[in-house]
């Protein structure tokens, strides 16, 4: 079973120093919010448009991130917050729907994405694709997206996370058509906000992800 590193895009923005990329906490929540970031992992390979597509390409409409979702990592220094939230490395969490929409716009009805981890329920009601570069026969592809929402359920002591903003960030790369799609995820509260970056900035960010070793590797059966 291979290790998986947690992806935290707001930290990467600071580490890589990409021009044109603005990722930050909502100003009204920076002082009083209870901060928690954690990284999910899934078993198996990412597939798109049901199970019909295994490459990063144009025309993607949905994604299945895999099975057996587990809490894989906790943000640096956020152990006490994770303990309060009941978010424990190695514990399972729920992720619905299994196939979520890939696009830019609102998520409504059965397309609303819900995560339940520990004492917290996250509900995501909008999404934006920040980068989509189709894979080629000899060239790499990339898909970056962010889902936005809030914590709609909190049974922790004091309910300190309740109604905070939240985000689910994903960055996927593929070396070329036919190669395995490698994806990294981060669940953050308060949620990140973004200004859509320039294509050159996203390319530089992708290089930074690889250089920092933060692109998540998928767990696989031994």
């Amino acid at each position: 079973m291979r290790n998986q590193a947690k992806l935290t895009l707001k930290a990467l923005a600071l580490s890589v120093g990409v021009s044109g990329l603005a990722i930050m906490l909502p100003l009204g929540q920076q002082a009083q919010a209870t901060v928690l970031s954690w990284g999910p992992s899934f078993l198996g390979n990412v597939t798109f448009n049901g199970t019909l597509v295994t490459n990063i390409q144009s025309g993607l409409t949905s994604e299945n991130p895999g099975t057996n979702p587990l809490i894989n990592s906790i943000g640096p220094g956020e152990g006490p917050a994770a303990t309060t939230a009941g978010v424990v490395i190695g514990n399972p969490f729920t992720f619905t729907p299994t196939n979520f929409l890939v696009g830019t716009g609102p998520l409504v009805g059965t397309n609303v994405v819900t995560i339940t981890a520990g004492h917290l329920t996250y509900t995501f009601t909008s999404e934006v694709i920040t980068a989509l570069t189709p894979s080629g026969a000899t060239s790499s592809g990339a898909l970056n997206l962010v889902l936005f929402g809030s914590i709609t359920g909190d049974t922790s002591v004091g309910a300190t996370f309740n109604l905070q903003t939240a985000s689910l960030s994903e960055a996927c790369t593929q070396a070329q058509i036919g190669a395995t799609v490698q994806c990294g995820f981060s669940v953050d509260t308060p949620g990140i906000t973004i200004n859509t970056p320039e294509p050159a900035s996203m390319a530089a960010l992708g290089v930074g992800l690889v250089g920092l070793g933060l692109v998540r590797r998928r767990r696989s059966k031994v």
Side-chain angles (χ1 to χ4, degrees):
M1 188 176 292
R2 293 177 291 175
N3 291 329
Q4 177 191 33
K6 183 179 78 70
L7 170 68
T8 306
L9 291 183
K10 62 178 181 284
L12 288 171
L14 296 174
S15 300
V16 178
V18 178
S19 174
L21 179 62
I23 299 179
M24 65 202 78
L25 296 179
L27 294 178
Q29 296 195 19
Q30 291 186 48
Q32 69 273 16
T34 304
V35 177
L36 177 61
S37 300
W38 56 275
S41 68
F42 297 87
L43 187 68
N45 295 324
V46 169
T47 57
F48 302 102
N49 298 8
T51 58
L52 300 177
V53 177
T54 57
N55 297 303
I56 296 176
Q57 62 185 50
S58 57
L60 297 179
T61 58
S62 67
E63 176 185 333
N64 186 329
T67 60
N68 294 14
L70 294 179
I71 298 167
N72 186 68
S73 57
I74 304 296
E78 296 172 11
T83 298
T84 299
V87 175
V88 179
I89 292 176
N91 280 6
F93 67 93
T94 62
F95 184 99
T96 56
T98 303
N99 288 285
F100 68 91
L101 287 184
V102 173
T104 295
L107 301 171
V108 297
T110 58
N111 294 317
V112 170
V113 173
T114 302
I115 290 176
T116 300
H119 302 303
L120 306 182
T121 298
Y122 300 77
T123 302
F124 301 100
T125 55
S126 64
E127 177 183 19
V128 60
I129 294 177
T130 58
L132 175 57
T133 302
S135 302
T138 58
S139 59
S140 62
L143 170 64
N144 294 351
L145 55 83
V146 184
L147 281 67
F148 301 98
S150 62
I151 293 178
T152 55
D154 179 5
T155 59
S156 66
V157 175
T160 56
F161 300 92
N162 196 40
L163 301 182
Q164 288 187 177
T165 61
S167 59
L168 169 62
S169 308
E170 178 186 40
C172 298
T173 60
Q174 185 181 29
Q176 61 187 46
I177 290 175
T180 299
V181 176
Q182 306 279 358
C183 294
F185 296 87
S186 181
V187 179
D188 298 279
T189 186
I192 64 172
T193 58
I194 63 170
N195 293 330
T196 304
E198 302 166 359
S201 297
M202 291 312 304
L205 178 59
V207 171
L209 286 169
V210 174
L212 292 171
L214 293 178
V215 173
R216 180 177 67 83
R217 293 185 176 182
R218 301 198 154 266
R219 294 182 294 114
S220 61
K221 294 180 180 179
V222 177

